[in-house]
Amino acid sequence: MSRPSVHKDRAAWLIGPGFNCTVKPLVSARPWRLILLGPPGVGKGTQAELLCEHLMLCHLSTGDVFRAAQHADSSQTSPAMREALNLMRQGKLVSDEMVTALVIERVECLHCGGGFVLDGYPRTIQQAIDFDKFLAAENIQIDAVIDYHLSLEATVARAAGRLTCPHCHAVFHIESKPPQHPERCDHCGTQLVQREDDRPEAARIRQHAYITATAPLTAYYQQRGLRVPVSSETSPLNIFNNTLQALEARRARINA
């Protein structure tokens, strides 16, 4: 029985059109299709891993797509991705339209019969509107938008304890998810680092950027009846259990 969240070769998502994942997900009669919201440092990556492991979903992270593209051969990247990377190297913002295009060209992943957790997209109201139009045209139904929330100071403190592997991009935390060996990645043994944007002042700037650009999505998905709020004030395992309970309660209400 293959668990799509465990293996790292998600070629169809990471590289894009023309590539296939080597491990096929288990097709479900009622696959979960979820979107994660929440400010940087709230723990979305950890919760995505736990949800994918438990519900046997695929983790579709737009951050992973950009990281993979930066290390890929240019022949393996689409024109849209090459243009996006060029803008990023110039320090310019990638437009809503371009980010949406990168997600849409991975339409096979969104149709995956095993379900998915979409992390990092949409990040603006315009992206959400464009994505909804695309989903409607493809007859894809999002089951829930999980909105993780945490106070500003708690989020900054949590980000300050985060350690990242520069090689395989695994994420650890000195308190809630410490590596087995001090400052060494459990997966590849690489020296762990603290990202510049996880330092307190940078984390505060990211929080304010989130409030300005992404937080309005809370109201958008609330109006559409998809928002499932979950507090992130407790431990990762408790957050995960609360998330599962909230999802099951939502599905029960829909089926009632």
Side-chain angles (χ1 to χ4, degrees), residues 94-152:
V94 180
S95 69
D96 287 339
E97 294 79 9
M98 188 172 295
V99 177
T100 297
L102 293 172
V103 174
I104 287 177
E105 70 181 11
R106 289 158 172 77
V107 60
E108 291 185 8
C109 296
L110 301 174
H111 275 292
C112 179
F116 60 79
V117 171
L118 184 56
D119 175 14
Y121 177 90
R123 285 192 172 181
T124 67
I125 291 294
Q126 189 58 56
Q127 288 179 11
I129 292 172
D130 292 341
F131 192 46
D132 278 346
K133 291 178 181 178
F134 171 75
L135 292 175
E138 293 290 326
N139 195 29
I140 299 172
Q141 178 65 52
I142 297 297
D143 295 291
V145 176
I146 306 171
D147 184 15
Y148 292 109
H149 53 89
L150 187 65
S151 67
L152 173 60

Side-chain angles (χ1 to χ4, degrees), residues 46-47 50 176-177 234-241:
T46 298
Q47 294 307 311
L50 292 170
S176 62
K177 190 183 177 183
T234 183
S235 69
L237 184 57
N238 285 337
I239 297 168
F240 170 63
N241 288 329

Side-chain angles (χ1 to χ4, degrees), residues 12-228:
W13 176 255
L14 295 178
I15 305 177
F19 291 84
N20 296 314
C21 298
T22 58
V23 179
K24 300 300 181 182
L26 293 177
V27 176
S28 171
R30 291 290 305 276
W32 284 101
R33 294 187 173 96
L34 308 172
I35 293 175
L36 300 190
L37 292 183
V42 79
K44 294 191 300 297
T46 298
Q47 294 307 311
E49 289 181 8
L50 292 170
L51 286 166
C52 289
E53 186 74 26
H54 184 80
L55 300 176
M56 304 189 77
L57 310 175
C58 193
H59 185 191
L60 306 183
S61 165
T62 52
D64 286 350
V65 169
F66 283 108
R67 282 187 286 270
Q70 289 173 340
H71 297 91
D73 188 293
S74 60
S75 64
Q76 293 185 328
T77 57
S78 68
M81 177 57 77
R82 288 195 290 273
E83 184 176 353
L85 289 176
N86 184 50
L87 289 173
M88 293 169 65
R89 293 187 185 104
Q90 298 177 51
K92 298 179 180 179
L93 293 175
V94 180
S95 69
D96 287 339
E97 294 79 9
M98 188 172 295
V99 177
T100 297
L102 293 172
V103 174
I104 287 177
E105 70 181 11
R106 289 158 172 77
V107 60
E108 291 185 8
C109 296
L110 301 174
H111 275 292
C112 179
F116 60 79
V117 171
L118 184 56
D119 175 14
Y121 177 90
R123 285 192 172 181
T124 67
I125 291 294
Q126 189 58 56
Q127 288 179 11
I129 292 172
D130 292 341
F131 192 46
D132 278 346
K133 291 178 181 178
F134 171 75
L135 292 175
E138 293 290 326
N139 195 29
I140 299 172
Q141 178 65 52
I142 297 297
D143 295 291
V145 176
I146 306 171
D147 184 15
Y148 292 109
H149 53 89
L150 187 65
S151 67
L152 173 60
E153 289 309 313
T155 306
V156 171
R158 184 174 293 178
R162 189 160 56 183
L163 298 171
T164 303
C165 177
H167 177 68
C168 70
H169 309 297
V171 178
F172 300 87
H173 194 277
I174 57 176
E175 294 180 356
S176 62
K177 190 183 177 183
Q180 295 178 6
H181 303 285
E183 299 184 2
R184 289 287 176 181
C185 178
D186 292 352
H187 307 291
C188 65
T190 302
Q191 180 79 27
L192 299 174
V193 300
Q194 183 184 46
R195 298 189 327 191
E196 288 295 328
D197 54 1
D198 280 339
R199 301 185 187 280
E201 288 308 311
R204 285 189 173 85
I205 293 173
R206 292 170 69 201
Q207 292 300 308
H208 290 301
Y210 174 83
I211 291 171
T212 300
T214 308
L217 288 173
T218 294
Y220 177 83
Y221 284 118
Q222 181 72 33
Q223 293 173 354
R224 297 200 60 232
L226 289 171
R227 178 176 175 258
V228 176

